[in-house]
Amino acid sequence: MNFSQIDLNLLKVLHALLRLRSGTQAARELHVTQSAVSNALGRLRQLTGDPLFVRSGRGLVPTPRALELAPELDAAFVHLRAALGGAQAFDPGSSARAFTVACTDAIGVALLPTLHPLFERRLPRASLRLVSLDDLIASAGLISGEVDVHVGLRPADGAQPGALLYEDPLAVVARRGHPRARNGATPAQLSALQWIEVLTIMGRPGAGRTIVDQALARHGVTRMIGLSVPNFTMAALAAVRSDQVACMPRRLAEILARDLPLRLIDLPFLTLRLPISMSWHPRADADPGQRYFRGLLVEAAQRRRRAR
């Protein structure tokens, strides 16, 4: 491939298609016609020897080769913007960027009360968007740029850069007046109960389930799962109306117990604390806007700890 003969405008089209997954939206963003985008895609296919996108419904689905190119293109455009605009190009007071965080409802409830007002003051024209872990996976969020930061348990491989935000103890909740869920419940009593599990990722248990089960198993507790739900809030609502119990981050449990007839079961032997971190794609390291936003997340987590 002769690089000097490549029309670099094609890369702008590919970058837009990878982010938007739509020829119509890419044309609108680039201020060109849809036929111009189609022609550019045809030339890109010849250039790479790959179809790059296949149509699915009204959108475009990238091929594995296109997904390989996505982070490289993202990084290239970030570096170009930084080189041409300088490190001071990001102005928090005037920026109209949208910043997206992927997290569970438990983390959103714990972090949003301090993050949102801070965001409103520091980034008055920008917008904040919280999405689920399902959205993160379905959109290849960190890779595609659809998600700026994932907040939660860090992946075991540690492939993405990240930083610890806070640690959250676990709590077991049951309805008030539950006949068998008392403070100081023994491992045997807990094993006799039915549990509600939370399926946080594409209808499957998240990494937290493994951590919890391993911690309980060390004390002889085996959980019998009686109900599976997609988020922690739903688990709490189900516990209120049944004799089943649920395990969740303690901060969320305390907030829900203010408005719901829930009680927290004291388990002195369960001292596990979940390390909640933020992770981002390596291409975002050089982006001044994302660096500023990650600083806000750190500050919000610090304020959350002081407020407890």
Side-chain angles (χ1 to χ4, degrees):
M1 184 182 297
N2 188 341
F3 188 78
S4 64
Q5 295 179 352
I6 298 174
D7 182 354
L8 296 182
N9 285 317
L10 297 177
L11 300 183
K12 291 175 62 178
V13 175
L14 180 57
H15 188 234
L17 288 171
L18 283 166
R19 286 185 295 104
L20 302 172
R21 311 291 171 89
S22 165
T24 302
Q25 292 183 36
R28 187 179 301 120
E29 179 178 286
L30 297 171
H31 303 290
V32 299
T33 64
Q34 280 188 256
S35 61
V37 170
S38 296
N39 290 335
L41 181 55
R43 294 172 63 189
L44 285 163
R45 285 166 169 162
Q46 290 182 338
L47 189 66
T48 61
D50 188 271
L52 296 176
F53 295 91
V54 294
R55 187 162 296 282
S56 176
R58 303 177 70 178
L60 297 173
V61 177
T63 65
R65 174 62 175 145
L67 291 176
E68 285 180 1
L69 292 171
E72 303 298 335
L73 278 176
D74 285 335
F77 277 94
V78 166
H79 287 303
L80 277 173
R81 281 193 292 267
L84 295 173
Q88 303 303 316
F90 181 77
D91 177 14
S94 63
S95 174
R97 284 175 63 170
F99 293 92
T100 301
V101 177
C103 62
T104 64
D105 62 323
I107 292 170
V109 168
L111 197 56
L112 199 59
T114 52
L115 175 61
H116 189 213
L118 191 62
F119 188 96
E120 280 191 305
R121 287 198 303 273
R122 304 282 181 81
L123 293 159
R125 297 188 58 201
S127 59
L128 178 62
R129 178 171 170 255
L130 268 63
V131 301
S132 70
L133 301 187
D134 283 359
D135 288 323
L136 174 69
I137 294 173
S139 66
L142 293 180
I143 295 174
S144 68
E146 290 288 321
V147 174
D148 298 301
V149 179
H150 164 236
V151 178
L153 296 175
R154 288 205 65 189
D157 59 11
Q160 308 290 354
L164 180 68
L165 288 177
Y166 61 91
E167 293 184 332
D168 208 345
L170 287 171
V172 176
V173 299
R175 66 174 176 85
R176 290 177 193 165
H178 193 296
R180 291 189 291 170
R182 307 180 188 282
N183 283 340
T186 66
Q189 290 170 328
L190 289 175
S191 295
L193 296 172
Q194 280 202 326
W195 292 70
I196 303 164
E197 71 170 348
V198 178
L199 307 176
T200 56
I201 304 177
M202 304 296 281
R204 299 187 300 274
R209 155 111 186 241
T210 301
I211 294 173
V212 170
D213 282 343
Q214 289 175 347
L216 290 171
R218 285 194 289 270
H219 299 279
V221 179
T222 301
R223 292 202 297 173
M224 294 189 299
I225 303 300
L227 174 66
S228 299
V229 294
N231 55 61
F232 291 101
T233 306
M234 197 176 293
L237 291 171
V240 165
R241 300 292 182 180
S242 72
D243 284 339
Q244 296 176 343
V245 299
C247 187
M248 62 183 61
R250 187 176 187 90
R251 178 59 176 161
L252 175 64
E254 291 171 343
I255 292 171
L256 292 175
R258 296 172 191 167
D259 298 314
L260 297 173
L262 283 174
R263 61 175 301 192
L264 278 64
I265 305 173
D266 184 24
L267 302 177
F269 63 83
L270 187 62
T271 57
L272 182 66
R273 301 173 69 89
L274 295 177
I276 305 302
S277 300
M278 62 176 176
S279 303
W280 60 91
H281 197 276
R283 64 169 166 71
D285 277 333
D287 183 276
Q290 291 206 37
R291 292 179 68 179
Y292 185 89
F293 178 60
R294 294 196 297 269
L296 283 189
L297 284 169
V298 171
E299 187 174 345
Q302 292 171 342
R303 293 188 178 201
R304 170 191 176 276
R305 287 195 294 269
R306 289 197 295 267
R308 292 200 62 183

